[in-house]
Amino acid sequence: MTTTPDAAALAAALPELQQAYAELQAKGLKLDLTRGKPSAQQLDLSNALLTLPGTDVTRDDAGTDVRNYGGLEGLPQLRRIFAELLDVPVEQLLAGGNASLTLMHDTLAYAALFGFPASPKPWAREEKVRWICAVPGYDRHFAICEALGFEMITVPMTEDGPDAAAIAELVADDPTIKGVWVVPAYSNPDGAVITEEVARALVSMPTAAPDFRIIWDNAYALHHLTDDEVTTPNAIGLAAEAGNPDRVVMVASTSKITFAGAGVSFWASSPANVAWFTKHLAIATIGPDKVNQLRHALFFGSADGVREHMRKHREILAPKFEAVVEILEARLGKYDVASWTAPRGGYFVSLDVVPGTASRVVQLAKEAGIALTPAGATYPHGRDPENRNIRLAPSMPPLTEVREAMDGVATCVLLAAAEAGSA
Amino acid sequence: MTTTPDAAALAAALPELQQAYAELQAKGLKLDLTRGKPSAQQLDLSNALLTLPGTDVTRDDAGTDVRNYGGLEGLPQLRRIFAELLDVPVEQLLAGGNASLTLMHDTLAYAALFGFPASPKPWAREEKVRWICAVPGYDRHFAICEALGFEMITVPMTEDGPDAAAIAELVADDPTIKGVWVVPAYSNPDGAVITEEVARALVSMPTAAPDFRIIWDNAYALHHLTDDEVTTPNAIGLAAEAGNPDRVVMVASTSKITFAGAGVSFWASSPANVAWFTKHLAIATIGPDKVNQLRHALFFGSADGVREHMRKHREILAPKFEAVVEILEARLGKYDVASWTAPRGGYFVSLDVVPGTASRVVQLAKEAGIALTPAGATYPHGRDPENRNIRLAPSMPPLTEVREAMDGVATCVLLAAAEAGSA
């Protein structure tokens, strides 16, 4: 971990670092590590979708005309493939539109407007709704809470998932706490993988709120970067075993499998929750885009087809992540000014710099033409109390640019540390 | 209009009609006139979409990679085409996913959760929200109101659109009345076309609610059945002229232009409302499916491409609507037991039968293998106070089946009238 002495020690090198930074600025870079976007090379892997489902292919394997209205639950042919991959019964899995973000938002919007079956009242009518966020975490999760007026309570993210003991203590007596976000596999940004022990704790802990929900955002379930292809616990099954069948709502998507903006999404939960969700969905939609769902089913063919496809992503992505870690190690390893993750999957490297300097690092990088995710983005309301965490997203630029950008980021981290040390 | 004497007069023919009905049942039909679905033949008109955007076509005409995240407002290349067709400035028009229903739902859900900028509070926090529905009308509009807890107030639908004088009187003093549905072109089910006079009245009338909204559901703007291709007033422009720029929210879609379940949708309003809607949309989505939007832009090419395409729909649809009207006239014209519309566009024929018998007609039809929209569906909560209106949707079945179904429906209308007359 960071200690100020080493930032102080760096203070002596301030003039050299300022010179290095001036040289960095002189390069006139224009690089972007802000968001977890797939690169064009990754998107190309799915270009077969651009001419699918194919000339006069209008029906799925059950004979349904995919062009017309209907089929609220999504195309069975596609749901079967992802039911296997996500380890849920197909009848508990819905296939939706192009974003699991929309499914998460709508789940909580329906809770606000109508409540879950077990809710004493619609959440929008509660005096206060609180929601647990493990930090660092995903900014779009926080944005949904903020928009819906949920007060966010933070708990630490650990290597094994959210701090289950801290959560259990919070929810035991406080009925205003209605839920928690969990990114079970390769969490955003820490790359943590939840253990079965943590999962069991979360699905079985007593909660004061009768309608407590875990939004199990399985965004990176299949997004391995190493041979250690982790599997995450089947939270929906574990919750049912624990006598809390309705506690878990899982979402996933192909946004980082096929096309980021034109994929398909998935929503899974208990049969009672599926009935609840589809009841409200039926008011808002005429059914998902089944042509796009068929396009995906034909493209993949099977669950193994998806797994095989993900290995092609890994071939493109893994070198970029290795480069990030390698450069951080080479440039910063000898100082005690930063720590970082070496993720086994997902889309992010989480970088902790000298406390108080994250926003300065991001500013320095910006002024040198390297766009980083805003400091604080991994905390509710964009406020990192220690101003320390930076989320690095190396997927989008080509490998040479990732290297160039990371070398620049390292310079900025050192300069900010030296500035802090000499202040 | 219907008068009971003629139903009474028919009573004498009850045995013959019962015999005719028995023969109808003996045919073992299986026909469906329930919903306004395009037929397979119509869907085939857009089959080029099944292989678009085409091999390695990944960018729109501005160079944007349509496969990746982003572009909340929708693809400019597509928005330009529909801005011309819908007569709104392109910067006030958003392109969305596969359903304008979703856009209508989300507009009102955001109003419930957050309120419009001019709202004293989020609508979900109001003691009561009321909404005006012209009847007969569209069941999915009513379902949204019902789900959100809006109390529905009915006004008559006229040939020129909703009864503007009745609406103006209602809204002048009652701040709980927050809006009205309008289907300006070829209304569902009556086929009414709003006049500029009615439109001007609606956009300029004083309303007690500062956040009163007209949801201008332009579902059938381009869906002509005759050479009399009506144009509907530019409500957004007229509202701005009248000093109420934020009053109108327009939606439209290609659900009945390309693929019913895999089209694109549009949302248009004032600049202030666009800012409001996109602010909330940004929490819920990573942007619409731009690949599908490019697919559509390439398929149409231009606004004229859309107009030309709609003429092909008309060639398929017009004979079906002519058949409905012709058979109703031939079978029922000599009796005073029913009246019906002869629409110039849209997807429905509205049939009024002997008051009190609509549900009986639907039941008789069902038992003869002809599925009709449930009686009452064109009224809030599915309750037609006169039990008189039936919505006929002849688009889906082939022409021969439309003829067979309508002949059966006519028998059911007569039998139900005779039963009522002899009761």
Side-chain angles (χ1 to χ4, degrees):
Chain A
M1 282 312 304
T2 302
T3 55
T4 34
D6 286 274
L10 261 181
L14 187 57
E16 288 153 61
L17 288 166
Q18 283 166 333
Q19 177 59 28
Y21 180 70
E23 285 162 21
L24 174 65
Q25 277 191 308
K27 287 188 189 170
L29 300 178
K30 195 165 178 248
L31 304 170
D32 190 334
L33 299 179
T34 52
R35 291 217 77 91
K37 285 185 175 184
S39 63
Q41 195 188 357
Q42 286 177 272
L43 296 168
D44 285 347
L45 297 174
S46 304
N47 272 1
L49 289 170
L50 298 170
T51 52
L52 281 171
T55 307
D56 294 333
V57 177
T58 59
R59 293 180 184 276
D60 72 353
D61 64 5
T64 302
D65 188 332
V66 293
R67 302 169 300 177
N68 223 323
Y69 291 118
L72 196 62
E73 296 86 2
L75 211 67
Q77 188 175 345
L78 178 69
R79 289 160 61 207
R80 281 195 298 274
I81 294 173
F82 278 83
E84 180 180 334
L85 292 165
L86 297 170
D87 192 19
V88 288
V90 65
E91 60 277 11
Q92 288 174 234
L93 180 77
L94 309 173
N98 74 329
S100 55
L101 183 70
T102 303
L103 296 176
M104 292 189 276
H105 174 276
D106 288 355
T107 300
L108 295 185
Y110 295 163
L113 288 167
F114 315 117
F116 283 96
S119 299
K121 58 176 88 165
W123 293 6
R125 303 242 172 129
E126 296 282 0
E127 292 250 327
K128 180 181 281 196
V129 172
R130 308 210 291 169
W131 195 271
I132 298 174
C133 303
V135 288
Y138 179 33
D139 54 354
R140 287 190 183 272
H141 286 166
F142 306 151
I144 291 174
C145 285
E146 190 171 347
L148 292 172
F150 299 174
E151 187 183 299
M152 288 178 267
I153 310 169
T154 59
V155 298
M157 192 69 190
T158 80
E159 278 182 20
D160 298 332
D163 183 334
I167 294 170
E169 198 181 323
L170 283 165
V171 301
D173 302 312
D174 185 346
T176 71
I177 302 182
K178 294 288 197 185
V180 60
W181 299 110
V182 173
V183 180
Y186 311 128
S187 74
N188 174 352
D190 275 5
V193 177
I194 203 166
T195 61
E196 184 169 323
E197 190 187 343
V198 170
R200 280 191 190 276
L202 293 176
V203 301
S204 58
M205 66 192 176
T207 65
D211 51 355
F212 184 90
R213 291 290 175 269
I214 300 170
I215 307 287
W216 192 264
D217 182 359
N218 220 342
Y220 311 108
L222 308 165
H223 304 56
H224 314 293
L225 288 170
T226 76
D227 286 331
D228 177 16
E229 299 194 348
V230 306
T231 54
T232 41
N234 171 355
I236 294 171
L238 292 178
E241 261 180 57
N244 297 311
D246 303 332
R247 184 172 291 183
V248 177
V249 171
M250 175 165 75
V251 301
S253 82
T254 68
S255 289
K256 292 180 176 89
I257 297 178
T258 58
F259 293 157
V264 291
S265 59
F266 301 96
W267 189 102
S269 191
S270 65
N273 281 346
V274 167
W276 171 85
F277 194 63
T278 51
K279 183 180 90 173
H280 295 298
L281 211 53
I283 304 298
T285 174
I286 46 82
D289 181 339
K290 295 187 299 297
V291 175
N292 203 34
Q293 296 189 341
L294 179 60
R295 209 171 266 134
H296 279 75
L298 295 173
F299 176 63
F300 293 129
S302 67
D304 274 338
V306 179
R307 292 188 189 101
E308 178 128 351
H309 182 75
M310 292 312 292
R311 287 188 196 109
K312 298 177 193 163
H313 280 288
R314 176 182 153 188
E315 279 175 34
I316 297 170
L317 281 174
K320 296 184 183 182
F321 281 82
E322 286 159 13
V324 170
V325 172
E326 179 199 315
I327 292 169
L328 288 172
E329 182 58 39
R331 295 283 319 275
L332 305 181
K334 53 195 129 171
Y335 306 104
D336 196 7
V337 295
S339 62
W340 52 88
T341 56
R344 290 173 288 162
Y347 263 67
F348 304 101
V349 172
S350 185
L351 172 66
D352 280 340
V353 297
V354 173
T357 70
S359 53
R360 177 64 179 155
V361 172
V362 172
Q363 183 198 6
L364 287 168
K366 184 182 176 187
E367 288 168 8
I370 304 165
L372 299 180
T373 308
T378 55
Y379 284 75
H381 307 294
R383 288 193 295 269
D384 172 0
E386 295 194 71
N387 189 14
R388 191 180 66 162
N389 186 249
I390 296 172
R391 186 185 78 170
L392 301 170
S395 57
M396 179 92 167
L399 180 55
T400 53
E401 292 189 12
V402 170
R403 293 190 154 276
E404 198 160 32
M406 284 313 303
D407 195 61
V409 168
T411 298
C412 297
V413 170
L414 291 172
L415 176 55
E419 288 173 350
S422 59
Chain B
M1 282 313 303
T2 303
T3 54
T4 34
D6 286 274
L10 263 179
L14 188 58
E16 288 154 59
L17 286 166
Q18 284 167 332
Q19 176 59 29
Y21 180 70
E23 284 162 20
L24 174 66
Q25 278 192 305
K27 287 188 189 173
L29 301 178
K30 194 161 179 254
L31 304 170
D32 190 334
L33 298 180
T34 53
R35 292 217 77 91
K37 285 186 174 184
S39 64
Q41 195 188 356
Q42 286 176 270
L43 295 169
D44 285 347
L45 297 174
S46 304
N47 272 1
L49 290 169
L50 297 170
T51 52
L52 280 172
T55 307
D56 294 332
V57 176
T58 61
R59 294 182 184 274
D60 72 353
D61 62 7
T64 302
D65 189 331
V66 294
R67 301 168 302 176
N68 224 323
Y69 290 119
L72 196 62
E73 295 84 3
L75 212 67
Q77 189 175 346
L78 178 69
R79 288 160 62 210
R80 281 195 298 273
I81 294 172
F82 278 82
E84 178 180 336
L85 292 165
L86 297 170
D87 193 17
V88 288
V90 65
E91 61 277 10
Q92 287 173 236
L93 180 78
L94 308 172
N98 74 329
S100 56
L101 183 70
T102 303
L103 296 176
M104 292 189 275
H105 174 275
D106 289 355
T107 300
L108 295 184
Y110 295 163
L113 288 167
F114 314 117
F116 284 96
S119 299
K121 59 175 87 165
W123 293 6
R125 302 244 170 126
E126 297 281 1
E127 293 252 325
K128 179 181 282 196
V129 172
R130 307 209 289 170
W131 195 271
I132 297 174
C133 303
V135 288
Y138 179 34
D139 54 354
R140 288 189 183 274
H141 286 166
F142 306 150
I144 291 174
C145 285
E146 189 171 348
L148 291 172
F150 300 173
E151 188 183 297
M152 288 177 267
I153 310 169
T154 58
V155 298
M157 192 68 188
T158 79
E159 278 182 20
D160 299 331
D163 184 334
I167 294 170
E169 197 181 326
L170 283 165
V171 301
D173 301 313
D174 185 346
T176 71
I177 302 182
K178 295 288 197 183
V180 60
W181 299 110
V182 173
V183 180
Y186 310 128
S187 73
N188 174 350
D190 274 4
V193 177
I194 202 167
T195 61
E196 185 171 321
E197 190 187 344
V198 170
R200 279 190 189 276
L202 293 176
V203 300
S204 58
M205 66 191 176
T207 66
D211 52 355
F212 184 89
R213 291 290 175 269
I214 299 169
I215 306 287
W216 192 264
D217 182 359
N218 219 342
Y220 310 108
L222 308 165
H223 304 57
H224 314 292
L225 287 170
T226 75
D227 286 331
D228 177 18
E229 299 193 348
V230 306
T231 55
T232 41
N234 171 355
I236 293 171
L238 292 177
E241 262 179 56
N244 297 311
D246 303 333
R247 183 171 292 182
V248 176
V249 170
M250 175 166 74
V251 301
S253 82
T254 68
S255 288
K256 292 182 176 89
I257 296 177
T258 58
F259 293 158
V264 290
S265 59
F266 300 95
W267 190 100
S269 191
S270 65
N273 281 346
V274 167
W276 171 85
F277 193 64
T278 51
K279 183 181 90 172
H280 295 298
L281 211 54
I283 304 298
T285 174
I286 46 81
D289 181 339
K290 296 187 297 299
V291 176
N292 204 34
Q293 296 189 342
L294 179 59
R295 210 172 263 133
H296 278 75
L298 294 173
F299 176 63
F300 293 130
S302 67
D304 274 339
V306 179
R307 293 188 189 101
E308 179 127 352
H309 183 74
M310 292 312 292
R311 289 192 194 106
K312 298 177 191 162
H313 280 288
R314 176 183 153 186
E315 278 174 33
I316 298 169
L317 282 173
K320 296 183 184 183
F321 281 83
E322 286 159 13
V324 170
V325 172
E326 178 199 315
I327 293 169
L328 288 172
E329 182 58 38
R331 294 284 318 277
L332 305 181
K334 54 195 128 172
Y335 306 105
D336 196 7
V337 295
S339 62
W340 52 87
T341 56
R344 290 172 290 164
Y347 264 67
F348 303 102
V349 171
S350 184
L351 172 66
D352 281 340
V353 297
V354 173
T357 70
S359 53
R360 177 63 179 156
V361 171
V362 172
Q363 182 199 7
L364 286 168
K366 184 182 175 186
E367 289 168 8
I370 304 167
L372 298 180
T373 307
T378 55
Y379 283 76
H381 308 293
R383 287 194 295 269
D384 173 358
E386 294 193 71
N387 189 14
R388 190 180 67 162
N389 186 249
I390 296 172
R391 187 184 79 171
L392 301 171
S395 56
M396 181 92 166
L399 181 57
T400 51
E401 290 189 12
V402 170
R403 292 191 153 277
E404 199 160 31
M406 284 313 303
D407 195 62
V409 168
T411 298
C412 297
V413 170
L414 290 172
L415 175 55
E419 288 174 350
S422 60

